[in-house]
Amino acid sequence: MTDVLAMGANIKQEAAQLPLVAENFDSFWDKEIRPLFTDESLSFKVKTLNGKYVKYVNLDNGATTTPFATLKQHVDEMLDTYGSVHRGSGQKSVITTREYDASRNVIRDFVGSSSDNYVIFAKNTTEAINGAATLWAKKPGKILVSDIEHSSNLLPWVTRDEVVQYRTQPDGSVSVAEIEDIFKAHQNLPEAEQIKLVTITGASTITGYRPPIYEIAALAHRYGAKIFADVCQLIQHEQVNMGADDDPCHLDFVAFSGHKMYAPYGTGVLLGPKEFFDSSYPYQIGGGNLPYITRNLEIKRFYTERAHDPGTPNAMGAIAIAKAIEIIEALGRDRIAQYEHSLVEFTYTRLGLIPGVKVHIPGDNLAHVIPFDIDGFDGRLVAEILAQEYGIGVRAGAFCTYEYIRKLKNISDEQDCEIAKEVDRGITRNIPSIIRASFAVYNTLEDCDRFIDAIAQIAKNGLTHYLPNYTQDQMTGVWTSNKQLVFSEHRAFIGHWAIVLPLFPLLLHQALFSVP
C-alpha cells in the first residue's frame, strides 16, 4: 500500500512514457487548453472538513462541464444586443435572429449532417428525445431499445410507443447479430409489429462503452428502419458523423446537449430528416411556430425549422453551443480524444493496483469514464468522503441506467423485486449504485494524482474508520458528514438565540413587574 500511495511522486516521470498527443503533455495543456478557461474556474477552491481550502478537482464531467472562457465572453457581448428571435424588425432582434439561425449551420457541419436535416433546439437532450418519441408514436411499428440506455433515451419511447427491448451481453456490449435476429423475427409481421426505429446510446454514461452505431445503422436501413443515436456522452469527446443520406451507415437522428460540451444553459439539439418532421404537427405548438390561424381555427403551419420553435427560444443556449463547437474544432477532436484517453489510461492502470478497488470495465477499450467500487463501501459514501475530505467531485448512484447497473452488480430478479417493493414504500437506500469518475479536457495529471492517492487512502483506512464520522439517511441512502450536521445544528442553535436575545429585556421586565 505504501508503494501505491507513493505513486504520485513518479507521475511526471511516468507520464512521458504514456501514449500522449504529439506535443509534450504539460505543454499541450499549458499552451492550448489552459487559455480556453478562466483562471477562476481552473483554480476554484473548496473548503474541506479540516478547515483548509484546496483546489477543486472536477471528475463529474459526464454530468456537466465548465464553460469555455471565450464562450462566456461571447455570450456576454451577445446579451448586450439581445432581442426577440424571429419577432421584430429592430436591430437587436435582427442581430439575435441572425446569430441564432447561423448556429444551426455550425451544428449541422459539426455532426456531418445532410442539408436535408432539421436542427431543432430543446431545453435539453431529454426534451429533444421526448419530442422525437412523440412524433414517432404517430407512425405504425415498434421501437427497438437496448437495455443500457439512460432513462432519457428509454422512458420517452416506453411511455409513447410500442417497444421491443434488446438485451445486451452480460458486460453490456452489443451483439449486432442478435439485433439482426430481432429484425428478422419482425420483418414479415404486419406493419404495426415491424421494427420502425432502433434507438441506442453513442456512449454509455456509466462505462463509456461505445456501441457500433454505424454498423447498427446499416443493419436498420437494410430492414427498412431508421436509427436514433443519443450522443450526448460521446460528441464532446470524439467525432460523430451523421453521414450522407445515401450512405447505408448514416445516422438518421442524433440528439445531444450543450452543457456537456463546455456550453452553459443546458440547451439540447435534435437533428433529423425534414420530411419526417414535416409529416406531422410539431411536438409543441403555440406562439411563434405557426404563421396564421383562420377565423374557423384552421391552423396554417411552417414547413421549416421554425415550426419546431414554439414561444421565445433560448437563443443564448443555441449561440453558446455554436461557439463551443468552434472552440472544440479549433483545438481538434482527435487531439482532445488522445489527451483525455491518456488521462483515463493513466488513472485506470493505477486504480487497478489499489487493493480493494474494483474497476467495472476492461482496459482494452477505455473511453472518458471509469466506474469503480471499493470493497465494503457504499459508493455514495466514497463520493461524500472524496468531496468533504479531498475536494474531489465524482458521482455515485445508478445514473438512470438501472438495468446496466443490475448487470454490473449481478442483481438477481429476487433482489430487484425487493428493491422495487422498498421504493414503493419510499425507501431508495438499497438501489444499487457505483462510483463514476468522468474526465474532461481541462483535467490534468495532477488531478489524476490527487484522485488516485485519495482512493488509495480511503481503501487503506477501511469502512470502520469512516462510520463514526458519517451518517446515512435510512430512507434515501444519502451520506452526510457528522461535522456538517454539528455545524448545521450549531447554526440552528445560534439562530434560535438570535430571535430570543433581542426580546430578553422585555421578558425580564415582564418577569420582574408583572402581577402574579
Side-chain angles (χ1 to χ4, degrees), residues 36 99 127-128 194 211-212 335 359 390 414 478 498 506:
L36 297 179
E99 290 286 327
E127 184 181 68
Q194 295 177 16
R335 301 168 81 213
V359 182
Y390 297 92
E414 291 77 13
V478 172
L506 175 62

Side-chain angles (χ1 to χ4, degrees), residues 174-376:
V174 167
S175 167
V176 176
E178 290 186 8
I179 293 179
E180 183 166 17
D181 288 341
I182 296 175
F183 273 108
K184 287 179 179 178
H186 288 79
Q187 66 176 334
N188 295 321
L189 298 176
E191 186 178 15
E193 298 296 318
Q194 295 177 16
I195 304 297
K196 59 183 175 181
L197 177 77
V198 55
T199 181
I200 194 161
T201 182
S204 166
T205 186
I206 296 180
T207 66
Y209 167 69
R210 291 151 290 183
I213 55 177
Y214 301 105
E215 189 176 351
I216 296 171
L219 176 62
H221 296 144
R222 195 155 64 243
Y223 286 89
K226 305 291 186 183
I227 185 170
F228 186 107
D230 170 10
V231 297
C232 72
Q233 290 288 348
L234 178 65
I235 200 167
Q236 67 274 38
H237 302 286
E238 299 179 18
Q239 188 169 13
V240 173
N241 192 341
M242 292 185 71
D245 292 342
D246 58 357
D247 185 339
C249 296
H250 81 274
L251 305 176
D252 299 289
F253 299 84
V254 300
F256 60 92
S257 290
H259 73 98
K260 295 183 187 294
M261 49 185 288
Y262 313 103
Y265 307 121
T267 296
V269 181
L270 171 65
L271 290 95
K274 293 179 181 179
E275 61 180 6
F276 171 81
F277 291 106
D278 286 346
S279 65
S280 60
Y281 273 107
Y283 162 54
Q284 296 176 328
I285 196 164
N289 67 335
L290 55 92
Y292 192 66
I293 305 172
T294 71
R295 181 169 292 160
N296 297 323
L297 297 182
E298 180 184 355
I299 299 173
K300 300 298 181 181
R301 61 165 295 179
F302 290 116
Y303 287 92
T304 66
E305 287 161 321
R306 281 195 65 179
H308 307 277
D309 261 353
T312 299
N314 181 0
M316 291 301 107
I319 292 169
I321 290 177
K323 187 64 177 179
I325 286 172
E326 292 176 1
I327 297 170
I328 289 171
E329 292 285 56
L331 185 59
R333 276 184 280 181
D334 287 345
R335 301 168 81 213
I336 291 173
Q338 287 179 306
Y339 179 81
E340 291 178 343
H341 288 174
S342 296
L343 293 177
V344 173
E345 182 177 351
F346 180 88
T347 305
Y348 173 87
T349 300
R350 284 148 185 79
L351 276 182
L353 299 176
I354 301 174
V357 172
K358 180 180 181 180
V359 182
H360 292 289
I361 52 174
D364 54 356
N365 191 23
L366 295 174
H368 57 282
V369 297
I370 302 177
F372 68 99
D373 280 307
I374 301 179
D375 288 347

Side-chain angles (χ1 to χ4, degrees), residues 17 33 53 85 162 185 224 238 334 341 343 345 394 402 408 424 440:
Q17 303 171 10
I33 297 175
Y53 285 86
V85 173
E162 292 291 327
E238 299 179 18
D334 287 345
H341 288 174
L343 293 177
E345 182 177 351
V394 298
Y402 302 102
L408 291 176
D424 284 338

Side-chain angles (χ1 to χ4, degrees), residues 12 15 18-34 37 42 237 262 331-347 367-368 439-448:
K12 298 302 181 185
L18 292 173
L20 305 178
V21 291
E23 297 86 350
N24 175 270
F25 199 97
D26 290 333
S27 176
F28 175 66
W29 193 88
D30 282 330
K31 293 181 179 179
E32 301 196 50
I33 297 175
R34 178 192 286 274
F37 301 92
L42 293 176
H237 302 286
Y262 313 103
L331 185 59
R333 276 184 280 181
D334 287 345
R335 301 168 81 213
I336 291 173
Q338 287 179 306
Y339 179 81
E340 291 178 343
H341 288 174
S342 296
L343 293 177
V344 173
E345 182 177 351
F346 180 88
T347 305
H368 57 282
F439 295 74
V441 72
Y442 44 67
N443 287 128
T444 64
L445 283 172
E446 180 185 354
D447 294 342
C448 301

